[in-house]
Amino acid sequence: MPVLYPTSSALNEVFSSHHPLTARRPSPTPPSPNFSVWSVAEDAKSKATQLSDEAAAELRKASEKAQAKTGKIELYSGKYYAACTFGGLVACGLTHTAVTPLDLVKCRRQVDSKMYKGNFEAWGKIGRAEGLRGIFTGWSPTFFGYSAQGAFKYGGYEFFKKFYSDLAGEENAYKYKTSLYLTASASAEFLADIALCPFEAVKVRMQTTIPPFASGTFNGLSTITGKEGTAGLYKGLYPLWGRQIPYTMMKFASFETIVEAIYGYMPGKKSDYGRGTQTAVSFAGGYLAGILCAIVSHPADVMVSKLNANRQPGEAFGAAMGRIYKDIGFTGLWNGLVIRIFMIGTLTSLQWGIYDSFKIFMGLPTTGGAAPPSKQTSKV
């Protein structure tokens, strides 16, 4: 027989104090954490580490093969100076060529400060008028000239540093090490600029004449010698010495001092650190040295650009400098300083990094941070 009355459970459900709108709802199940992004990042990091390890292993193999082919290189031997010469050639040739766009704008603003308001405006105008090739105007004489200069500069510095050190003796060489760095670098740069000067003359004229007076390095050399003789290639040699010798003296002496100071603050000795740390120290020391180099040599750099662009045929060197200085004044000697600080700082850090990396590759010690001689150490 069917039940006519509601059951107790039904009554309880109907007359319960819970309102339908306020009734408790089951709490939602929290979503499971999504690790997909984390997994992708970790996978990419793992692959990058693997590639880095593989590249380091391949570099190590190549280094061992190169050292086996050349044989053990004794310090201050003919092979040692040849290796340093080649390392300097690569370091300077590649880096100066890479910053040709910066150098192009710097030279044009030094010759005519009103030509462009800024670097980006300059690159935009040159790019629209001449394309990418125009932005790299002068790359060819830059590569040849600074490769030759780098070879004489770094190879010569290593040679003269050892030569003057032997003349002074171990104790005096350490005691007057800054003077040693300055003298060795000045001697090396004196020779390096003789190799650089003809190419610098072509580069500056290509970059400061619109359109460029020559289509390439050798065309420029023949054009200048055809009109002015060989002397035309060297009319900027004196101001080039005036720019580059102080620059190089500051570059090498400050680098050696800064690197020694960095290792002095670090625990342990230089030999305790691997190639990665030593290369990083070279980069850091190079950039700081580059800032000082740019400031010291900038007025002469402006004068080199002006002389190569505006010196009249047959005009005496002193007369030309006097005329140019009268036109631009003292403040004009500092045109383009900011961009040159950036350019030289970058250049110098890359050069020291490349140079010391090559020395490590050939099994040679990096530059700077040498320990004092044993006798000197015992006195301290």
Side-chain angles (χ1 to χ4, degrees):
M1 182 175 179
V3 179
L4 299 177
Y5 299 99
T7 63
S8 59
S9 61
L11 291 170
N12 186 49
E13 180 69 25
V14 171
F15 295 101
S16 171
S17 61
H18 296 292
H19 191 275
L21 297 178
T22 61
R24 292 182 180 178
R25 297 179 181 177
S27 58
T29 305
S32 58
N34 187 355
F35 295 105
S36 59
V37 175
W38 179 82
S39 299
V40 170
E42 281 298 306
D43 185 52
K45 182 179 178 181
S46 176
K47 288 182 178 179
T49 303
Q50 183 181 356
L51 288 173
S52 177
D53 292 341
E54 290 175 358
E58 289 298 320
L59 182 62
R60 197 176 301 110
K61 289 180 183 178
S63 176
E64 291 171 356
K65 188 180 293 185
Q67 292 179 42
K69 188 173 182 180
T70 58
K72 181 175 176 57
I73 300 177
E74 298 289 341
L75 287 178
Y76 314 120
S77 64
K79 283 185 179 180
Y80 173 78
Y81 293 124
C84 294
T85 298
F86 184 76
L89 182 151
V90 173
C92 290
L94 294 180
T95 52
H96 276 277
T97 304
V99 297
T100 298
L102 283 170
D103 192 40
L104 171 66
V105 176
K106 173 194 70 82
C107 286
R108 288 186 177 179
R109 293 184 73 183
Q110 285 175 343
V111 172
D112 184 0
S113 59
K114 298 178 181 179
M115 182 176 291
Y116 307 116
K117 294 180 180 178
N119 300 328
F120 290 103
E121 180 199 52
W123 291 324
K125 285 184 176 181
I126 297 168
R128 286 190 294 272
E130 306 171 52
L132 183 63
R133 183 177 180 179
I135 294 175
F136 278 87
T137 297
W139 75 267
S140 176
T142 297
F143 175 75
F144 287 113
Y146 283 94
S147 293
Q149 186 223 31
F152 281 97
K153 177 187 291 187
Y154 282 89
Y157 176 71
E158 298 284 357
F159 173 80
F160 285 115
K161 185 167 70 168
K162 173 63 174 172
F163 178 74
Y164 294 139
S165 179
D166 289 343
L167 287 179
E170 187 180 20
E171 292 291 331
N172 287 329
Y174 181 78
K175 185 178 180 180
Y176 303 105
K177 56 188 174 183
T178 302
S179 298
L180 179 69
Y181 302 150
L182 293 170
T183 308
S185 57
S187 301
E189 189 60 42
F190 180 86
L191 299 176
D193 289 343
I194 296 173
L196 168 64
C197 194
F199 300 99
E200 182 76 358
V202 175
K203 176 191 79 74
V204 171
R205 292 196 195 189
M206 286 182 68
Q207 292 179 335
T208 55
T209 55
I210 304 174
F213 86 107
S215 57
T217 303
F218 299 104
N219 175 250
L221 291 171
S222 62
T223 300
I224 294 174
T225 54
K227 292 181 178 179
E228 306 172 41
T230 306
L233 298 174
Y234 288 94
K235 70 181 185 180
L237 181 59
Y238 293 152
L240 188 62
W241 275 332
R243 179 190 79 183
Q244 287 298 128
I245 290 178
Y247 165 89
T248 300
M249 292 170 71
M250 179 64 74
K251 174 179 179 176
F252 282 86
S254 61
F255 175 80
E256 295 259 17
T257 303
I258 290 167
V259 167
E260 184 177 356
I262 292 174
Y263 283 117
Y265 280 108
M266 296 169 67
K269 298 180 295 184
K270 174 184 174 180
S271 57
D272 297 333
Y273 297 96
R275 64 175 66 193
T277 302
Q278 292 192 20
T279 305
V281 170
S282 296
F283 271 108
Y287 202 92
L288 294 173
I291 294 172
L292 299 175
C293 293
I295 296 171
V296 166
S297 63
H298 192 73
D301 183 63
V302 173
M303 192 59 71
V304 168
S305 296
K306 288 284 190 180
L307 283 168
N308 277 309
N310 299 328
R311 186 177 176 184
Q312 304 301 321
E315 186 178 20
F317 171 72
M321 284 191 65
R323 175 178 57 80
I324 291 169
Y325 183 78
K326 186 177 180 180
D327 290 340
I328 65 175
F330 180 76
T331 55
L333 292 174
W334 301 97
N335 286 337
L337 176 61
V338 175
I339 188 173
R340 190 160 184 266
I341 286 176
F342 174 73
M343 185 182 85
I344 296 300
T346 305
L347 268 177
T348 308
S349 63
L350 288 173
Q351 285 171 5
W352 278 116
I354 293 171
Y355 179 67
D356 277 345
S357 295
F358 180 76
K359 290 178 78 175
I360 292 172
F361 182 82
M362 299 304 297
L364 301 172
T366 57
T367 310
S374 55
K375 291 183 181 179
Q376 184 78 13
T377 305
S378 63
K379 292 180 182 180
V380 177

